[in-house]
Amino acid sequence: MPRLAKPLTELQISKARAKAKPYALADGNGLYLMVSTAGLKTWVVRYRLPGSATATPATIGRYPAMTLAEARVCAVQAKRDAAQGKGTAGTRKAQQVAAQAETGEQEAEAAASAEAERATFRAVSGRWLAERRPGWAAETYRKARLVVDSYLVPKLGDADMRTLETKDVRPVLVEMAAKTPQLARKARQYVGSIVDHAINEGLRPDESALRLARSLPTFRSGHMPAVTDDEGKLGKVMRAIDAHGNRVVRAALTLAALTVMRSGVVASARWSEIDLVAGEWKIPGKEPDGSNRMKTGQDYSTSLPAQALEVLREMHARSAGEEYVFPPQARQNTPHLSRDALSKALRDMGFQGEHTTHGFRASLRTLGRERLGVDVDVLEAQLAHAPKDEVEAAYARVKFKEQRRVVMQAWADYLDKVKGGNVVEFKRKA
């Protein structure tokens, strides 16, 4: 005897999910449920007309519009009609309608799936990064990419930006704050901007910005650690750099201290930018790919004091003919020295939380004013801070060029003195 199908239950039917291929769930008496690859559930009954050698399938309804009990009643009626020589009315049409409905549902599901993927945090943050990249310095983009890819996407990547709420983001930021407070603040800033991007794309209503201002625990202000009031400590930093065992890292740290350029700019310095004869470093505002090299995106030049030229001549003997002044070190994937190698060197030398490579800029800003009596406008021009307008920018480049040359040599001499343990007498600008 043929094996009888075990009757289906409503629970079995409701739990049936789409698979790679269509499949059938038999209920018995010729009735079964077809489940398509799109998850569409259709009731089918097989009946045999008198004199026919084969069974004919007929679509009788869709689940859940037609319940299991109703499908069983329809199946019994189809069998009775067949015994009287009558096919189930509308069988061919029902099959066509079902096929068309399945195709339409598949297309609708595909469109909905594509839209859902486009609305994920992963996709929106990727578009946000791509849009921002042309206006960012390479280091700014690198940091944003690090935070998004390493911290935010692993936790929020599949989140739907159309329904993302503050409560979804806050635990991620709090977890980051416990380990990396500085990056947590950046992450909060980036999430807010990514949400704004989603609003601009029409994925969220205009009034749906997240409330992240108080989402992080209170901690100390995030200024880069820098020595600005202790000449003895600054001298200790300079002596430690002088004694560093890696020649390339030592030279790059020294150039960063002497020119107070940002660490990413120093680490990626090119020989084509440096004029050892004129003693000048001309830095293009943009990288060849159009991204910012300088934070402002504007071309910039700084004079090179005698001490910086000495360091560069030493490196020239090592990397002449190469594109970059400072070659990459072991296990570095960049074509030049990694900026992180400079920060790591200072941490390893015992200055974590006290001084960073970027901190030399704050040292010049404070000590240059208080110890060397440098005019604040000259200091701002040397630090390449963005002027308020184009007229002021042009004015600063022209008016302060020679003054900045004098200041940078005075700064290099000052660093030599504190390195030797000599306290510099306070000078007040008249």
Side-chain angles (χ1 to χ4, degrees):
M1 292 181 64
R3 184 178 178 182
L4 298 177
K6 185 177 180 180
L8 293 174
T9 66
E10 287 285 355
L11 182 61
Q12 283 179 287
I13 297 169
S14 63
K15 285 188 173 182
R17 296 291 181 265
K19 297 181 180 180
K21 294 182 179 180
Y23 65 96
L25 298 174
D27 182 62
N29 197 32
L31 176 67
Y32 58 93
L33 183 76
M34 283 296 301
V35 183
S36 73
T37 56
L40 183 70
K41 299 173 184 178
T42 306
W43 290 113
V44 178
V45 63
R46 287 181 177 275
Y47 64 89
R48 184 176 290 130
L49 296 172
S52 174
T54 59
T56 302
T59 299
I60 58 174
R62 294 271 300 279
Y63 181 86
M66 177 180 283
T67 65
L68 174 58
E70 292 170 338
R72 286 171 175 167
V73 171
C74 288
V76 170
Q77 185 61 49
K79 290 278 189 176
R80 288 175 179 172
D81 290 344
Q84 298 174 17
K86 296 186 295 184
T88 299
T91 296
R92 183 180 298 276
K93 181 64 176 179
Q95 289 175 325
Q96 292 174 345
V97 169
Q100 292 171 354
E102 180 174 343
T103 300
E105 182 170 319
Q106 289 175 329
E107 291 176 351
E109 286 188 4
S113 177
E115 180 62 19
E117 175 57 32
R118 179 176 176 274
T120 61
F121 183 91
R122 179 185 295 101
V124 175
S125 63
R127 295 195 296 273
W128 172 76
L129 283 167
E131 181 180 275
R132 291 299 187 90
R133 183 172 188 174
W136 274 347
E139 176 53 25
T140 304
Y141 175 77
R142 185 197 71 85
K143 183 177 290 185
R145 186 101 213 180
L146 169 70
V147 171
V148 170
D149 289 350
S150 300
Y151 293 92
L152 297 178
V153 166
K155 299 289 186 179
L156 300 170
D158 294 329
D160 191 332
M161 292 299 293
R162 295 170 295 187
T163 57
L164 187 74
E165 298 181 9
T166 301
K167 65 180 178 62
D168 302 320
V169 178
R170 188 177 185 280
V172 179
L173 298 179
V174 170
E175 181 180 347
M176 284 186 66
K179 300 174 182 177
T180 56
Q182 299 284 352
L183 291 184
R185 282 200 299 273
K186 283 293 183 184
R188 178 177 59 184
Q189 173 189 336
Y190 296 152
V191 170
S193 188
I194 291 167
V195 169
D196 285 344
H197 188 87
I199 291 173
N200 292 337
E201 288 188 335
L203 294 174
R204 298 172 66 91
D206 290 348
E207 67 279 5
S208 64
L210 303 187
R211 301 181 64 183
L212 300 174
R214 298 183 180 180
S215 59
L216 294 178
T218 302
F219 43 75
R220 295 180 61 186
S221 177
H223 291 297
M224 293 285 188
V227 177
T228 59
D229 57 2
D230 186 339
E231 291 180 332
K233 177 60 67 64
L234 184 58
K236 184 178 178 181
V237 171
M238 297 307 298
R239 288 191 294 274
I241 291 174
D242 254 8
H244 195 275
N246 186 302
R247 290 172 57 190
V248 175
V249 174
R250 179 175 69 239
L253 280 171
T254 303
L255 186 65
L258 294 171
T259 63
V260 299
M261 297 307 300
R262 292 180 172 86
S263 54
V265 175
V266 171
S268 60
R270 295 178 172 87
W271 283 117
S272 59
E273 302 166 355
I274 292 172
D275 188 336
L276 293 175
V277 176
E280 191 169 19
W281 183 7
K282 295 182 179 180
I283 307 166
K286 300 282 187 180
E287 293 283 12
D289 64 2
S291 61
N292 280 9
R293 176 154 163 72
M294 293 295 293
K295 187 172 183 178
T296 62
Q298 301 295 317
D299 293 349
Y300 180 80
S301 67
T302 182
S303 62
L304 296 167
Q307 294 90 330
L309 290 172
E310 182 180 348
V311 169
L312 288 168
R313 289 190 183 104
E314 178 186 348
M315 286 306 305
H316 193 264
R318 182 184 180 91
S319 61
E322 302 290 335
E323 179 180 4
Y324 295 100
V325 175
F326 303 109
Q329 302 304 285
R331 297 186 297 276
Q332 290 184 1
N333 296 323
T334 52
H336 50 73
L337 179 68
S338 167
R339 65 177 293 279
D340 294 333
L342 306 185
S343 301
K344 182 179 184 301
L346 286 171
R347 291 196 301 270
D348 291 347
M349 289 187 286
F351 299 110
Q352 183 167 3
E354 295 181 342
H355 193 76
T356 62
T357 317
H358 194 89
F360 284 115
R361 296 170 61 79
S363 298
L364 174 65
R365 182 66 174 78
T366 301
L367 295 172
R369 178 66 176 161
E370 294 184 354
R371 293 295 187 264
L372 306 180
V374 181
D375 185 272
V376 67
D377 290 335
V378 178
L379 288 171
E380 290 294 295
Q382 179 59 37
L383 292 168
H385 286 161
K388 295 178 180 178
D389 54 49
E390 293 183 6
V391 174
E392 185 178 342
Y395 179 74
R397 285 196 295 270
V398 174
K399 180 175 178 61
F400 300 134
K401 184 174 182 179
E402 197 55 42
Q403 290 169 269
R404 286 168 48 214
R405 182 181 298 276
V406 173
V407 166
M408 294 316 293
Q409 185 59 59
W411 172 247
D413 294 341
Y414 169 77
L415 291 179
D416 278 348
K417 289 179 180 179
V418 297
K419 182 168 62 177
N422 299 318
V423 177
V424 178
E425 183 180 352
F426 176 84
K427 293 183 180 181
R428 183 180 295 278
K429 183 173 177 64

